[in-house]
Amino acid sequence: MRKTAPTNDRSRRHADNTDAARPGTRRRDVLRIALMALMLAPSVATAAEPLLTLPAPPFELPVLPPVSGTWTVMVGAGGEYKPDFEGANRSMLSPVPIFSIRRAGSTEQFRGPRDSASIAVIDFGDLRAGPAGKFVSSRKASSYSELNGLGDVKTTVELGGFVEYYPVDWFRTRGELRQGIGGHHGVVADLSADVIVPVIQRLTLSAGPRFTWESTKATSPYFGIDAVQAMATGLPAFDAKGGAHSVGAGAQVSYRINPQWEVHAYVEYERLLGDAAKSPLVTLRGSPNQTTVGIGASYAFDIKIR
């Protein structure tokens, strides 16, 4: 596992007043200062001092570890070439945010491309748990000819929690359970497992299976077709129920540039199951085979909560 190595602060040097009086010496001093700034830049980025200090919340839950202390925050962004909408047979490029928080000093854990934004409130090294959330973009019928007449599905925020466990250092299992708010009001459960192989010191390969279960309220807005929509689209009416939603696999390669920066690339494949695969939107206008290819970069820094 990768760990962030802290570095010590360094003091600044001051130019000699006598030498500074000569133009040639002054130019040399400027060059020296510039060179020192470049040398100190990595040290500033990896300094042990937290980048931010925030006030602690007014209360803490007795069953959970205290929130106060230093936390490592990872933020980033990437791009995904994925289906236009779930069940589509065409793809487009979309932006993807990256976010996670863990206790500073704890061993940095593997992050998969399907992981929701999460905070590891409970962290025992091989067992981690905490809140998780996912943003699901709106689906506008006017954007794609296949959706004309089906109506829009609003933006959804899925909130819940995650648990992940490492039976051994090179194998991770993770489960998420989230409740939708907005475009759908159903429940979504994601299960995944990854074999993690360090190829060299900074390069890691990973791969494993995926499975998703959804309730009826999470499936119906995207795959159901009511009588009015059937008349508008020419598709047969379909009452989509929840259940096993998809199964698949994914692989990722990640490279650690330095203790703060990491870049990665991945491919994820899933096969729609149940009523999601049986929906006329998929059988007549789309495909049950869904492939996503993505790249991304993330940056880690510390914040302190008093």
Side-chain angles (χ1 to χ4, degrees):
M1 295 298 167
R2 300 181 297 274
K3 297 184 179 179
T4 302
T7 59
N8 297 325
D9 294 332
R10 303 180 182 180
S11 60
R12 298 180 178 177
R13 298 179 180 177
H14 297 279
D16 183 81
N17 292 334
T18 304
D19 290 341
R22 296 192 295 271
T25 304
R26 185 177 301 139
R27 285 194 295 270
R28 287 195 297 272
D29 288 341
V30 171
L31 290 175
R32 280 206 241 20
I33 294 172
L35 180 60
M36 289 173 59
L38 290 174
M39 294 174 61
L40 286 172
S43 299
V44 173
T46 58
E49 288 297 321
L51 183 62
L52 299 173
T53 300
L54 302 176
F59 64 90
E60 294 178 343
L61 298 177
V63 297
L64 296 177
V67 177
S68 58
T70 304
W71 296 78
T72 297
V73 180
M74 182 179 68
V75 296
E80 286 185 340
Y81 186 69
K82 62 180 182 179
D84 291 346
F85 54 88
E86 193 174 22
N89 57 9
R90 296 184 301 176
S91 298
M92 65 177 178
L93 185 64
S94 303
V96 179
I98 299 171
F99 178 80
S100 68
I101 298 179
R102 61 182 173 85
R103 286 275 184 188
S106 61
T107 302
E108 182 179 355
Q109 303 288 0
F110 167 81
R111 184 184 188 280
R114 285 169 57 97
D115 294 358
S116 299
S118 59
I119 303 175
V121 178
I122 299 174
D123 190 342
F124 296 110
D126 58 350
L127 177 65
R128 304 169 71 236
K134 184 177 182 179
F135 177 85
V136 182
S137 300
S138 61
R139 193 186 75 175
K140 295 187 178 297
S142 59
S143 299
Y144 312 101
S145 58
E146 300 92 332
L147 300 176
N148 288 342
L150 288 178
D152 297 340
V153 181
K154 297 179 181 180
T155 298
T156 302
V157 176
E158 296 177 352
L159 300 177
F162 82 97
V163 175
E164 63 181 32
Y165 176 64
Y166 289 78
V168 290
D169 288 345
W170 50 267
F171 185 68
R172 185 197 77 157
T173 59
R174 179 178 173 111
E176 294 187 14
L177 188 65
R178 306 182 303 271
Q179 169 69 52
I181 303 172
H184 80 76
H185 298 276
V187 177
V188 178
D190 281 329
L191 301 175
S192 63
D194 287 275
V195 174
I196 307 163
V197 182
V199 179
I200 56 177
Q201 184 177 7
R202 297 184 179 183
L203 183 67
T204 303
L205 297 178
S206 60
R210 316 282 188 249
F211 175 77
T212 298
W213 177 93
E214 291 186 0
S215 68
T216 297
K217 289 184 178 180
T219 303
S220 180
Y222 301 95
F223 297 96
I225 303 173
D226 61 28
V228 175
Q229 293 172 338
M231 291 181 63
T233 62
L235 295 172
F238 184 74
D239 185 17
K241 301 294 185 181
H245 183 75
S246 68
V247 64
Q252 177 178 235
V253 55
S254 59
Y255 181 74
R256 173 67 63 179
I257 299 174
N258 57 37
Q260 282 71 46
W261 285 100
E262 182 183 70
V263 294
H264 59 269
Y266 56 89
V267 58
E268 292 279 332
Y269 166 79
E270 63 177 344
R271 171 86 180 186
L272 296 179
L273 303 174
D275 281 2
K278 297 175 184 177
S279 171
L281 175 61
V282 175
T283 59
L284 300 178
R285 298 184 178 180
S287 172
N289 299 304
Q290 307 284 283
T291 301
T292 299
V293 178
I295 59 173
S298 59
Y299 178 78
F301 61 92
D302 288 347
I303 62 172
K304 185 175 182 180
I305 300 178
R306 296 184 181 277

